[in-house]
Amino acid sequence: MKTSPMNQPANGFRTPLENATLARFGWLIGMRWIFVLAIVVGAVAGRSLLLPELPVVAILVIASIVGLFNLVMQAISVRLPELKPARRQALIHLLIQTQVVADWVALLALIHYTGGVESPLLHFYIFHVAISAIFLSPRFTIVGLLFIMISMSMLFVAESSGLIPRVVLAGITLEDRQLSPIYIANFSFWYFSTLVIMAMLLSAIMRSLRRREREALRMRVRLEEANLKTSRISEERVRLMHTMGHELRSPIAAVVSMLNALMISSGPDLPEPVRRIHDRIKQRLDDLTAMIGELLELAERRRGSDGGRIRRVNLCALLASLCEELEARVSEAGLSMTRHCSSHGDFWISAHPAHVRRIFENLLSNAIKYSRTGGEIHIRSHEEKGRLHVEIQDEGIGIAPDQIDRLFTEFYRTPQSRRHTSQGTGLGLTITKELIENAGGRIEVRSEVGTGSVFEVILPLAESRGD
Ligand code: ADP
């Protein structure tokens, strides 16, 4: 997996916040259409109803220029998705800046035609400075503020000195006297201070938000790297398990056949102690072969081998056939086994048949292996809320509460089970749990040392019954 450097994530944008900012491009265009409409309606209605001196032509010209500009922006925005991400990002930034500057200039002209220092449109600058502080860089906002302050001061001075004619609107502006320089200076001071404080506040909030987002992004990249490392380690582990299994299998098979050959060539008069040692060696080699088989099975499964087609499996029938197969082992161990399917042998699940067989084979052989002579094994199945519950209960050695969670860890065997029998690999339950989870189910264990254990498998039932 490829990771991108912190300041340049794969999609070309820096943080989700900046991505969201760029998505506001279309929003700015929409807002400008509303603004143009409001200016046109306001100018025409204001002139005919309240303000006969309102220079409606000049205002409509400005509204038309803004409208034309917005049309161009809209046309460009339609083409944006065709551009490559990096170019699109740079262009959107530039276009947002152009729009903000164009809005400032248009607003300055409108302020002049609606009463200058007394224009009600002065409030719109607050809104524009907020947009700049939120969406654009602090540097751009500072330059913008300087532009607004210088250009507005020049406008106020030119109007009050009579350099350009001041628009006087009866009822809105002071009619019969020129505005005093003190009034203009006082107004400008408080107005500009408001803009500067607001811009500083918003920029500081946005800076800290952006910093936090970058930190979150950095953490995400680190997390992804750690995940990558973990999955590489586990791949390596599986590869090792696989190689080790294959490498060990042939020498052990050779030792078993040599041992058999040795026994045959030694003839029937072998002393009893030698025969006993032979049997123990043979038993140990069989255990080792079983362990290698399970190790290879686990490695294959973790490599993604899927075990064939998913089919509908009649679980009660499968349990019945398994019980039949295990009958000899059960009676040899001096045990008895009962089976009860609450649905007259008609529970259907969708799974790999070989996997389902493996799950219950493991659990039943454990129940036999860890039972004591005379014990009973009960198999019960029932349906609950659309799920199949199969319980395998034994009256065997049991498991201590603190060991239950570790049962599904590779190679784990409880101290009681080690004392009870040397046979066992500690891999069967790991395989069983993975198979159950792959089939969308789970396994639960209840047990008491010396009394016995219940292994409960919960699997989703197939959608409709029958074959
Ligand atoms: P093993 O080949 O050792 O039986 P498993 O993975 O099947 O390996 O089981 C892991 C361990 O869980 C066993 O070694 C045993 O300690 C414990 N265990 C499993 N089933 C039972 C059971 N029915 N009763 C008591 N202990 C059990």
Side-chain angles (χ1 to χ4, degrees):
M1 196 189 82
K2 260 176 60 190
T3 52
S4 35
M6 277 316 306
N7 51 358
Q8 225 176 357
N11 66 358
F13 293 153
R14 285 178 146 208
T15 68
L17 186 73
E18 279 164 336
N19 281 345
T21 304
L22 299 172
R24 295 286 176 271
F25 183 70
W27 178 81
L28 278 178
I29 296 175
M31 289 296 285
R32 198 171 297 105
W33 281 127
I34 296 172
F35 183 69
V36 169
L37 193 72
I39 292 291
V40 172
V41 173
V44 174
R47 166 79 175 246
S48 45
L49 298 176
L50 294 165
L51 309 163
E53 314 91 335
L54 194 70
V56 77
V57 176
I59 293 174
L60 289 182
V61 168
I62 296 169
S64 314
I65 294 171
V66 175
L68 263 176
F69 173 79
N70 218 26
L71 264 184
V72 174
M73 288 295 138
Q74 192 140 27
I76 296 175
S77 77
V78 175
R79 310 292 303 270
L80 279 175
E82 294 164 18
L83 298 179
K84 284 186 184 149
R87 270 207 67 196
R88 186 169 60 218
Q89 178 205 14
L91 189 64
I92 290 178
H93 261 300
L94 185 72
L95 289 174
I96 289 184
Q97 288 176 349
T98 315
Q99 288 184 70
V100 170
V101 173
D103 287 343
W104 288 341
V105 174
L107 198 56
L108 193 69
L110 281 173
I111 284 171
H112 168 62
Y113 287 111
T114 52
V117 75
E118 291 164 297
S119 165
L121 295 187
L122 275 173
H123 300 291
F124 273 103
Y125 262 127
I126 298 181
F127 172 64
H128 275 88
V129 170
I131 287 187
S132 169
I134 292 171
F135 293 154
L136 300 169
S137 67
R139 198 183 305 156
F140 187 87
T141 308
I142 292 169
V143 174
L145 266 177
L146 283 176
F147 167 82
I148 292 171
M149 290 196 287
I150 294 170
S151 59
M152 279 180 59
S153 305
M154 280 165 59
L155 178 72
F156 294 162
V157 169
E159 282 182 351
S160 63
S161 64
L163 209 63
I164 52 172
R166 184 173 151 247
V167 175
V168 177
L169 303 171
I172 290 190
T173 58
L174 299 168
E175 280 181 53
D176 42 10
R177 63 177 173 85
Q178 287 291 327
L179 295 171
S180 73
I182 301 273
Y183 175 88
I184 292 176
N186 182 47
F187 173 81
S188 303
F189 174 78
W190 291 111
Y191 183 69
F192 294 151
S193 306
T194 310
L195 290 186
V196 170
I197 291 170
M198 191 193 61
M200 277 169 55
L201 257 175
L202 280 178
S203 292
I205 292 170
M206 294 310 289
R207 217 179 12 248
S208 110
L209 262 179
R210 286 193 182 107
R211 199 179 48 238
R212 278 190 207 166
E213 278 205 309
R214 287 209 181 90
E215 266 164 30
L217 200 65
R218 203 170 299 139
M219 301 284 278
R220 210 181 74 194
V221 171
R222 276 204 209 130
L223 204 70
E224 276 172 10
E225 280 170 0
N227 280 345
L228 192 69
K229 243 187 227 165
T230 317
S231 73
R232 276 205 197 117
I233 291 172
S234 80
E235 267 170 34
E236 189 55 30
R237 224 171 118 225
V238 170
R239 205 183 55 76
L240 199 74
M241 265 160 75
H242 200 256
T243 322
M244 217 173 74
H246 276 292
E247 291 298 319
L248 287 174
R249 204 152 59 170
S250 354
I252 288 171
V255 173
V256 171
S257 61
M258 281 189 281
L259 192 69
N260 287 339
L262 193 70
M263 282 306 284
I264 292 164
S265 63
S266 309
D269 309 322
L270 212 59
E272 191 46 35
V274 178
R275 187 171 291 284
R276 266 209 313 274
I277 290 175
H278 162 268
D279 289 348
R280 281 176 62 190
I281 295 175
K282 179 80 176 26
Q283 181 58 53
R284 286 306 177 109
L285 285 172
D286 286 347
D287 292 349
L288 209 56
T289 311
M291 180 186 280
I292 289 166
E294 289 191 337
L295 205 65
L296 280 172
E297 186 187 341
L298 203 62
E300 283 301 335
R301 205 169 306 295
R302 290 189 178 165
R303 277 180 155 194
S305 99
D306 70 350
R309 265 183 57 199
I310 289 189
R311 288 169 192 271
R312 292 168 62 76
V313 180
N314 182 345
L315 205 97
C316 293
L318 185 133
L319 287 174
S321 104
L322 264 177
C323 287
E324 223 176 275
E325 280 170 33
L326 292 169
E327 223 169 63
R329 267 185 69 191
V330 171
S331 57
E332 208 175 280
L335 303 168
S336 61
M337 188 145 76
T338 65
R339 187 171 46 82
H340 175 71
C341 251
S342 79
S343 185
H344 314 289
D346 199 16
F347 278 132
W348 292 88
I349 58 167
S350 292
H352 298 294
H355 288 183
V356 186
R357 175 168 270 275
R358 184 80 168 98
I359 292 169
F360 292 102
E361 207 172 57
N362 274 345
L363 295 176
L364 286 172
S365 17
N366 279 352
I368 299 170
K369 193 160 54 176
Y370 300 115
S371 280
R372 286 169 299 210
T373 316
E376 282 189 12
I377 296 170
H378 303 281
I379 308 164
R380 296 184 205 93
S381 344
H382 70 275
E383 179 185 345
E384 205 179 296
K385 295 180 188 155
R387 307 212 118 209
L388 169 65
H389 292 243
V390 183
E391 286 179 358
I392 293 167
Q393 182 179 10
D394 65 56
E395 297 171 348
I397 56 170
I399 305 155
D402 61 321
Q403 291 158 357
I404 287 182
D405 282 344
R406 299 160 71 188
L407 294 182
F408 303 98
T409 316
E410 292 143 34
F411 302 111
Y412 180 75
R413 301 197 68 210
T414 64
Q416 305 91 278
S417 70
R418 283 177 194 279
R419 280 195 296 273
H420 183 74
T421 170
S422 63
Q423 280 173 32
T425 61
L427 286 170
L429 282 183
T430 312
I431 295 174
T432 304
K433 186 168 184 256
E434 286 185 14
L435 293 176
I436 294 171
E437 285 173 356
N438 283 350
R442 63 175 204 277
I443 180 163
E444 289 174 5
V445 184
R446 299 183 289 281
S447 188
E448 211 175 300
V449 177
T451 308
S453 315
V454 180
F455 283 76
E456 183 171 1
V457 179
I458 301 152
L459 288 167
L461 279 165
E463 288 197 342
S464 60
R465 294 174 183 192
D467 210 354

